[in-house]
Amino acid sequence: MMMNTIRGAIIAAACCAGVTQGYAQESVNFVSWGGSTQDAQKEAWATPFTGKTGIKVIQDGPTDYGKLKAMVESGNVQWDIVDVEVDFAYRAAKEGLLEPLDFSIIDKSNIDPRFVSDYGIGSFYFSFVLAYNMGKISGQPAGWSALFDTETFPGKRALYKWPSPGVIELALLADGVSESDLYPLDLDRAFKKLDTIKKDIIWWGGGAQSQQLLASGEVSMGQFWNGRMFALQEDGIPVGVSWEQNLVMSDFLVIPKGAKNKDAAMKFLAYSTSAQGQADFAELTAFSPINKESDSMISEDLMAFMPTTYADDQVSLDYKYWAEHGPDIAKSWNEWLLK
């Protein structure tokens, strides 16, 4: 009798285990930059995606290129979807670090062609804009040349500290180089221009830091992500923005080579880049959608704060150029910083 009871308990436990395994919830691991951007990605994409598909989205981060590469090379990939800068996406694809995207699952027919490749698709796009603290300067600076005019517009300048698309280009534009002649980048000319304000530069490495620098008045103006300036304006901070020569940049969503949940990751990319997913994210951030059908879904009041509205003033940064030449530019950049 005791043996039958034990045997029955074992069979019951095994059956329960089988049921549990059979109905284990599918999941994907999503990695981004943290802060308000990842919060918005969770609200606009992850939560409704789980509600629609039942696939759980586990938040992780921040994005770390060295860690992504180490995972792929070791064969122990813990991340399924990673939000990366677009130039890294192109370089990582060339190095064999990414899975090709399945466009039978992901609909790219309405995606702005600037923001899709075989191995990555836009998370959103944004602009580097010239922004200024209206309590620290008089007048309305316009264009990147104003950034270097410390006589008319005194005060410290905020610039993005990483060697990636943006600072080199704005220096060349301010020095009179036309958009059509930006590439190949003339680093010597750019560094010479930056030397004129080097003592006044305060470098920022993240969005929250950039906001603090401008809101506090520690800098009077600088180069900023447009969405971060929108957030300050929404909080009532006296911030002005010049959209002249706004520099278009994008983040890409990629799937690391060997991702354990590749199929679910493809489904997540399909949702996040859909017209609705992109519109919902834009409403939360004022970053522009990469899906061309999203604009009609976005409130008219918000459009005034978005790069989409200022397309005629845009300068598109050459991501592929940076993907190829980025490491060499970084070397020259770091040498210049130390001078």
Side-chain angles (χ1 to χ4, degrees):
M1 185 72 174
M2 179 65 71
M3 289 299 295
N4 288 338
T5 302
I6 294 173
R7 184 181 300 167
I10 293 173
I11 293 171
C15 289
C16 289
V19 169
T20 301
Q21 290 174 358
Y23 288 88
Q25 186 177 23
E26 195 174 3
S27 67
V28 291
N29 191 296
F30 176 76
V31 178
S32 190
W33 302 94
S36 58
T37 297
Q38 190 162 354
D39 289 343
Q41 289 169 324
K42 180 179 179 181
E43 182 177 342
W45 303 340
T47 300
F49 173 75
T50 299
K52 183 177 181 179
T53 66
I55 300 172
K56 183 179 181 181
V57 182
I58 301 168
Q59 300 291 321
D60 202 348
T63 296
D64 184 318
Y65 298 151
K67 192 172 182 180
L68 185 155
K69 185 175 182 179
M71 283 184 183
V72 174
E73 291 177 345
S74 69
N76 184 25
V77 180
Q78 301 298 315
W79 295 346
D80 298 310
I81 306 144
V82 188
D83 187 308
V84 302
E85 291 167 301
V86 61
D87 54 312
F88 174 81
Y90 279 106
R91 189 161 57 249
K94 189 175 181 179
E95 294 175 3
L97 300 177
L98 306 178
E99 293 282 354
L101 300 187
D102 185 346
F103 292 111
S104 69
I105 298 174
I106 303 164
D107 181 4
K108 67 173 182 176
S109 61
N110 291 305
I111 303 301
D112 186 321
R114 293 178 296 176
F115 308 123
V116 62
S117 73
D118 290 342
Y119 292 87
I121 191 165
S123 175
F124 55 90
Y125 89 84
F126 59 92
S127 286
F128 282 120
V129 293
L130 177 73
Y132 50 95
N133 186 316
M134 293 188 289
K136 290 295 179 179
I137 60 175
S138 58
Q140 295 181 331
W144 296 113
S145 60
L147 186 76
F148 294 84
D149 186 357
T150 54
E151 184 174 343
T152 305
F153 305 110
K156 296 293 185 180
R157 280 16 185 185
L159 291 177
Y160 191 45
K161 74 176 183 178
W162 306 115
S164 63
V167 175
I168 298 296
E169 286 88 346
L170 71 82
L172 292 173
L173 289 168
D175 202 42
V177 177
S178 66
E179 177 185 354
S180 60
D181 293 330
L182 274 178
Y183 302 95
L185 294 172
D186 186 338
L187 297 182
D188 290 338
R189 183 171 178 175
F191 291 141
K192 185 177 180 180
K193 185 66 173 177
L194 288 166
D195 279 335
T196 64
I197 59 167
K198 192 172 184 180
K199 64 180 177 59
D200 295 313
I201 297 173
I202 298 179
W203 301 100
W204 59 269
Q209 182 188 9
S210 74
Q211 290 172 302
Q212 176 61 28
L213 287 173
L214 192 63
S216 68
E218 187 174 351
V219 301
S220 61
M221 69 169 64
Q223 165 211 18
F224 301 98
W225 295 326
N226 73 279
R228 292 290 183 161
M229 297 302 97
F230 167 72
L232 290 181
Q233 291 170 323
E234 286 288 280
D235 288 341
I237 307 298
V239 169
V241 174
S242 168
W243 288 92
E244 185 175 327
Q245 296 178 318
N246 66 94
L247 303 175
V248 176
M249 184 64 174
S250 173
D251 273 17
F252 265 31
L253 298 173
V254 299
I255 300 174
K257 188 75 172 177
K260 295 180 173 65
N261 302 294
K262 183 174 69 172
D263 291 343
M266 296 291 178
K267 294 175 184 176
F268 181 86
L269 294 192
Y271 184 86
S272 62
T273 59
S274 67
Q276 189 64 61
Q278 284 289 297
D280 290 344
F281 180 78
E283 287 282 355
L284 295 171
T285 63
F287 290 131
S288 282
I290 52 89
N291 191 309
K292 292 182 288 186
E293 289 194 331
S294 301
D295 289 349
S296 61
M297 303 177 179
I298 298 170
S299 60
E300 190 173 330
D301 291 344
L302 184 64
M303 292 297 290
F305 299 94
M306 296 176 63
T308 312
T309 304
Y310 305 94
D312 291 343
D313 293 314
Q314 287 179 356
V315 176
S316 291
L317 301 173
D318 191 334
Y319 318 133
K320 294 180 181 178
Y321 180 89
W322 274 89
E324 181 178 353
H325 300 284
D328 291 334
I329 296 172
K331 181 180 178 181
S332 298
W333 173 271
N334 291 327
E335 290 172 352
W336 173 76
L337 284 177
L338 294 173
K339 288 182 179 179

